[in-house]
């Protein structure tokens, strides 16, 4: 694919023909709009449905009907171990050891479960560091955990304030906050990708700084997993959580995931909310009164796996395995780079991007503001939606457009640019 960009449908079509990942688009259902495919730029909010999902879910329904309870042991993919069928795929996508990951619950639930273990405040070290404007789930969870432990968010919640022009955070700002407050911070909780700005955070650098101050470190990877190559194990993070319905295409309300670093795999003194499914699988059915956790992330499970929610994730992870995160990242750099070029060179009198220009500091997302203010932004967002160009709106004034490499094309980016230009001339 060429990086000498041109703002024509012909040039974009040539890039799509040369795209080695182009066939993966056919594995997804593209929502129609007036007899054609829509331009769907919302994989950062809800990924598209893989075509193979329907058969995968139907197979589990068939086994349920034919085998009932025996499906736990005699199904085509026995339900007792079903969460293990996605383990290697998850580990590959997030850069972890298989024993460090587990598919369970949803993101908010997993965040609370991880904080039970990794937010252990003391009178001297009780603060939590998050970014200002964090996704509400993170802020709500942190504030409630702080209050649960008898502290006040007014004193124990530290928010990193943006120090860059478009509301992003420099590494220097993180360093400065940890140097100033590190001795009273119990937990650093930051995103892999900031949902509103699209900024990517350097996980390993943050872990190094925080651990040097004696802080635990966790990450919300909702907008990072399936978007960027991650190296969770090598980052040294204590834990991470994510949802699977965005870039991982596992469906609305899909089962989430969690990572616990292997150094905590056998740390039985860590408090946790225990459940039967987290008990060591080799003795689980002895029904003993003493909880013996399964080593690794599996030991944080509480309940049995949701089979009908795991089936779509299993299908999507197979697609990721075949596509490969390095190739997906390479295409993402080209595709997002092209969209940014169009915004700057063709639409600069109408739009501005607040996402970092450095490709290493962003994923498959541009957060765009419309010049002229919020009401013009809302008007453009609705104009695009009415024409089958689907992004999403985030208050107070951002349109998020996310060209996802598994199914978006260069032609989609041109269609977006042409629609914006027509709106501006209307």
């Amino acid at each position: 694919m060429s990086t000498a960009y041109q703002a024509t449908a012909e040039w974009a079509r040539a890039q799509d023909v040369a795209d080695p990942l182009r066939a993966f688009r056919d594995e997804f259902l593209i929502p129609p709009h007036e007899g054609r495919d829509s331009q769907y730029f919302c994989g950062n909010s809800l990924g598209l449905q893989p075509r193979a999902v329907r058969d995968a879910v139907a197979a589990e329904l068939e086994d349920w009907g034919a085998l009932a309870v025996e499906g736990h042991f005699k199904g085509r993919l026995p339900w007792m171990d079903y969460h293990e069928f996605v383990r290697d795929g998850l580990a590959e996508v997030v850069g972890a050891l298989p024993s460090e990951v587990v598919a369970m619950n949803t993101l908010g639930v997993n965040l609370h479960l991880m904080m039970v273990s990794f937010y252990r405040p003391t009178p001297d070290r009780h603060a939590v560091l998050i970014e200002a404007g964090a996704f509400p789930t993170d802020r709500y969870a942190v504030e409630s955990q702080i209050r649960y432990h008898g502290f006040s968010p007014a004193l124990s919640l530290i928010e990193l304030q943006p120090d860059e022009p478009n509301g992003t955070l420099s590494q220097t700002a993180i360093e400065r906050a940890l140097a100033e407050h590190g001795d009273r911070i119990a937990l650093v909780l930051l995103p892999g990708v900031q949902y509103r700005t699209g900024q990517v955070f350097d996980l390993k650098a943050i872990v190094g700084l925080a651990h040097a101050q004696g802080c635990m470190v966790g990450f919300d990877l909702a907008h990072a997993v399936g978007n960027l190559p991650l190296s969770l194990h090598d980052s040294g993070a204590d834990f991470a959580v994510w949802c699977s319905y965005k870039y991982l295409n596992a469906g609305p309300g899909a089962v989430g995931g969690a990572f616990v670093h292997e150094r905590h795999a056998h740390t039985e003194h860590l408090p946790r909310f225990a459940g039967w499914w987290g008990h060591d699988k080799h003795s689980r059915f002895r029904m003993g009164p003493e909880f013996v956790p399964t080593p690794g992330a599996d030991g944080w499970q509480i309940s049995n796996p949701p089979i009908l929610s795991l089936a779509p994730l299993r299908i999507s992870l197979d697609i990721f395995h075949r596509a490969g995160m390095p190739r997906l990242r390479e295409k993402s750099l080209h595709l997002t780079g092209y969209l940014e070029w169009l915004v700057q060179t063709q639409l600069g009198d109408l739009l501005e991007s607040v996402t970092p220009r450095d490709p290493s500091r962003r994923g498959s997302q541009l957060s765009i503001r419309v010049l002229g203010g919020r009401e013009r932004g809302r008007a453009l967002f609705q104009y695009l939606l009415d024409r089958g160009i689907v992004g999403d709106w985030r208050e107070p004034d951002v349109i998020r457009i996310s060209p996802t490499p598994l199914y978006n094309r260069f032609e989609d980016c041109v269609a977006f640019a042409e629609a914006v230009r027509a709106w501006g001339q209307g």
Side-chain angles (χ1 to χ4, degrees), residues 22-33:
R22 64 187 180 278
F24 285 101
R25 176 181 170 88
D26 295 334
E27 298 193 32
F28 291 87
L29 294 170
I30 312 295
H33 179 79

Side-chain angles (χ1 to χ4, degrees), residues 1-7 11-12 14-16 18 329-342 344-345 359 362 410:
M1 291 182 285
S2 171
T3 54
Y5 298 138
Q6 299 176 28
W11 182 89
Q15 306 312 300
D16 292 328
R329 176 59 171 164
E330 182 180 4
K331 180 179 175 181
S332 175
L333 290 169
H334 287 301
L335 200 57
T336 306
Y338 182 52
L339 179 63
E340 181 193 47
W341 180 84
L342 289 170
Q344 290 176 344
T345 64
R362 69 181 183 217
F410 287 83

Side-chain angles (χ1 to χ4, degrees), residues 127-130 139 142-143 146 152-159:
V128 181
L129 180 69
I130 64 174
R139 187 184 179 94
V142 166
E143 285 199 358
I146 288 171
S152 168
L155 298 175
S156 299
L157 180 62
I158 301 173
E159 294 182 277

Side-chain angles (χ1 to χ4, degrees), residues 383-401:
Y383 178 91
L384 294 172
L385 197 59
D386 290 344
R387 284 152 183 79
I389 300 173
V390 184
D392 67 358
W393 175 267
R394 285 294 175 265
E395 295 290 353
D397 58 358
V398 163
I399 299 173
R400 299 191 303 180
I401 300 294

Side-chain angles (χ1 to χ4, degrees), residues 169-180:
L169 276 160
S170 69
Q171 188 68 16
T172 300
I174 300 173
E175 293 174 8
R176 189 164 51 242
L178 283 165
E180 180 179 356

